[in-house]
Amino acid sequence: MREIVIVGGGYAGFYTAWGLERKLRRGEARVTVVDPRPYMTYQPFLPEVVAGSVEARHAAVSLRRHLHRTRLIAGSVTEIRNSAHTVSIRPQTGPDFDLHYDVLVVTAGAVTRTFPIPGLSDQAYGLKHVEEAVAIRDRLLTSFDRAATLPPGPERSRLLTVTVVGGGFSGVEGFGELLGLATALLRHYPEIGTEELAFHLVEARARILPEVTDRPGEWVVRSLEKRGARVHLNTQLVSAKDGRVVLSDGGEYDCGLLVWTAGNASNPIVHNHTDLPVDERGLLTVRADLRVGTDTEVVADVWAAGDDASVPDLAAGRPDAHTVPNAQHAVRQGRRLAKNILASLRGRPTKDYVHHSLGVVATLGLGRGIFQYRRLVIKGFPAWLMHRGYHVLAVPSWERKARVFAVWATAALYGRDIVSLVSVQHPREAFTSSGAPRRSEEPTDAVAG
């Protein structure tokens, strides 16, 4: 029996495995997925997890619940040696081991790109995983609880100051949802005034949301500023040491919550620990049919898709165009990948990956959004409804769709849940303290940056 090993259980990896196990004949091949997490994160829901509009567990799709005929290994691939057809695996427990494959699929996913900025690794949260989104939400809620007990002053101002670095979709959506959550919290905290909130969005380029055209991007900036936010364009984070944010435009202030979403980098396993061909960006060189290789030379039985693959964008009509790293492409590449692997196993021709964009849609907070398809631009509440409608249909499995929709319906009737569970980061404290009062530690103890 042939061994198909899939490195990574994100969008592309999950949909590849899902498609394969539905169509493989008994005894034709065995599929193995290697990923340190037991779930696929539906990343478009992370900003709504931050805002409490989606339960954290509902943004995570269990691999074992949906991949019934796939072997799952909880671990990380540390090296790919295609010359020997083996991958080295570091499991969650136990010694490292090698796994042989006949067919390899690399869908390891990107990692958050960071820079050697003083204080960044100590202070910032990323926004790529569910646990990070939960930590950001708990941090904001806890800051409100603490600020409400303090008199006006520097410490109170620090707790009510939020900075998001990165003006792409992840950053803007997370920023908009955080701003919406903070504004909604004010009705529950009469001690805190609207003017005390300080929200900063920092972007190194001259505009935000590069996936939309200039005028819609400018409208988003104006919309955020009308809600009291400060958008810093052509600005970089210089330092975050000890929670003191220093910006290249001269701004300097103490910050209680720092979120870093300034781009992605290819997974280290791809650009540092493999003998497969990579391009100048550290991405795997991939043909239009998702095989690793070039038009003139192919690497036999090795496939790739998703954020770590430089996939030609045949729909763009330009020979140098490559698909952008987003969920819309990763899901569809995973589906095409499963079909092409099956075709290859059975001696049939493969098909090229071609996907014409469905447009881009972003949430900017409860009841606010923006959608663009070519020249068509929709703003405000209709765009927000389109965002919710698209993603509840796109999240895999009817079980997850039902759970997400139920939470939305409950929130429409009763509002957001505003309970912070930051204490779960120290679950034994109540037991070990025997009820003795303690001054709680800063929630930065469990930063997942």
Side-chain angles (χ1 to χ4, degrees):
M1 186 185 301
R2 305 197 78 187
E3 182 76 45
I4 302 174
V5 173
I6 301 176
V7 179
Y11 291 115
F14 173 81
Y15 276 94
T16 300
W18 210 17
L20 283 171
E21 73 169 26
R22 288 177 171 183
K23 299 295 184 180
L24 280 170
R25 305 184 186 109
R26 187 173 299 277
E28 187 173 17
R30 181 172 69 169
V31 180
T32 299
V33 173
V34 184
D35 196 286
R37 290 179 171 83
Y39 55 81
M40 182 206 83
T41 302
Y42 190 73
Q43 291 183 351
F45 277 157
L46 292 186
E48 294 204 57
V49 172
V50 167
S53 300
V54 170
E55 286 291 332
R57 289 180 180 175
H58 299 169
V61 179
S62 170
L63 298 180
R64 291 191 178 274
R65 185 183 183 96
H66 300 287
L67 300 179
H68 305 293
R69 296 168 52 201
T70 298
R71 180 172 62 157
L72 301 173
I73 296 178
S76 301
V77 171
T78 57
E79 185 179 6
I80 298 172
R81 297 185 302 280
N82 188 57
S83 58
H85 275 219
T86 60
V87 294
S88 297
I89 297 175
R90 180 161 298 159
Q92 297 291 330
T93 56
D96 293 6
F97 63 92
D98 289 343
L99 180 64
H100 177 82
Y101 61 81
D102 298 296
V103 178
L104 178 67
V105 181
V106 183
T107 56
V111 297
T112 301
R113 179 183 62 185
T114 59
F115 299 99
I117 298 172
L120 179 64
S121 60
D122 298 323
Q123 301 293 330
Y125 294 82
L127 188 52
K128 187 172 285 293
H129 301 292
V130 172
E131 53 268 37
E132 294 173 322
V134 171
I136 291 168
R137 169 179 164 78
D138 286 343
R139 177 64 181 267
L140 181 69
L141 294 173
T142 302
S143 292
F144 265 72
D145 286 333
R146 292 176 176 174
T149 66
L150 293 173
E155 179 61 13
R156 179 171 166 132
S157 297
R158 182 187 70 83
L159 289 169
L160 298 175
T161 300
V162 175
T163 302
V164 175
V165 182
F169 260 81
S170 178
V172 171
E173 288 191 313
F175 185 79
E177 290 287 355
L178 270 173
L179 179 58
L181 174 60
T183 304
L185 287 174
L186 292 174
R187 64 189 293 264
H188 303 288
Y189 291 84
E191 307 92 336
I192 300 174
T194 305
E195 71 284 353
E196 294 186 81
L197 299 182
F199 274 69
H200 301 263
L201 177 62
V202 180
E203 169 54 45
R205 292 167 293 190
R207 50 165 298 178
I208 62 173
L209 295 179
E211 294 88 347
V212 304
T213 52
D214 289 345
R215 293 184 65 182
E218 292 166 359
W219 177 85
V220 173
V221 171
R222 293 195 301 271
S223 174
L224 293 173
E225 290 178 339
K226 285 180 181 178
R227 295 162 62 188
R230 173 93 184 269
V231 180
H232 304 259
L233 299 178
N234 293 312
T235 304
Q236 298 179 4
L237 177 67
V238 175
S239 175
K241 192 172 183 180
D242 299 324
R244 182 75 175 176
V245 167
V246 180
L247 303 177
S248 62
D249 66 356
E252 187 172 345
Y253 52 86
D254 290 326
C255 181
L257 174 58
L258 176 62
V259 182
W260 178 271
T261 66
N264 296 324
S266 61
N267 197 296
I269 185 61
V270 170
H271 66 78
N272 288 335
H273 304 289
T274 179
D275 55 0
L276 296 171
V278 297
D279 65 11
E280 66 280 357
R281 297 174 296 166
L283 303 177
L284 288 169
T285 303
V286 176
R287 293 155 47 108
D289 64 355
L290 303 179
R291 296 176 189 263
V292 172
T294 65
D295 290 336
T296 58
E297 187 175 356
V298 64
V299 180
D301 297 319
V302 181
W303 310 75
D307 293 351
D308 284 322
S310 183
V311 180
D313 189 354
L314 301 185
R318 303 191 315 272
D320 60 340
H322 294 86
T323 58
V324 296
N326 62 22
Q328 192 175 138
H329 281 297
V331 168
R332 289 164 177 81
Q333 287 172 7
R335 290 171 176 162
R336 170 48 53 197
L337 198 49
K339 293 176 182 178
N340 279 354
I341 292 172
L342 285 167
S344 177
L345 289 175
R346 296 168 184 173
R348 299 201 301 261
T350 60
K351 293 183 180 180
D352 290 344
Y353 171 74
V354 183
H355 172 62
H356 296 272
S357 174
L358 302 175
V360 291
V361 62
T363 174
L364 304 174
L366 195 63
R368 300 177 175 90
I370 187 166
F371 168 82
Q372 182 173 17
Y373 177 70
R374 297 181 180 177
R375 295 185 180 181
L376 174 64
V377 178
I378 300 175
K379 306 170 184 174
F381 186 74
W384 175 78
L385 282 179
M386 294 173 68
H387 178 274
R388 285 208 159 180
Y390 172 78
H391 285 300
V392 78
L393 291 174
V395 67
S397 85
W398 286 103
E399 171 259 342
R400 273 297 177 264
K401 300 180 201 295
R403 291 182 187 274
V404 170
F405 189 80
V407 172
W408 284 342
T410 304
L413 292 174
Y414 301 107
R416 310 173 196 250
D417 192 327
I418 61 168
V419 176
S420 169
L421 295 178
V422 71
S423 58
V424 302
Q425 298 170 11
H426 308 282
R428 298 183 64 252
E429 185 171 321
F431 174 74
T432 57
S433 66
S434 300
R438 291 184 180 182
R439 186 181 298 277
S440 58
E441 297 295 327
E442 280 292 313
T444 48
D445 290 350
V447 164

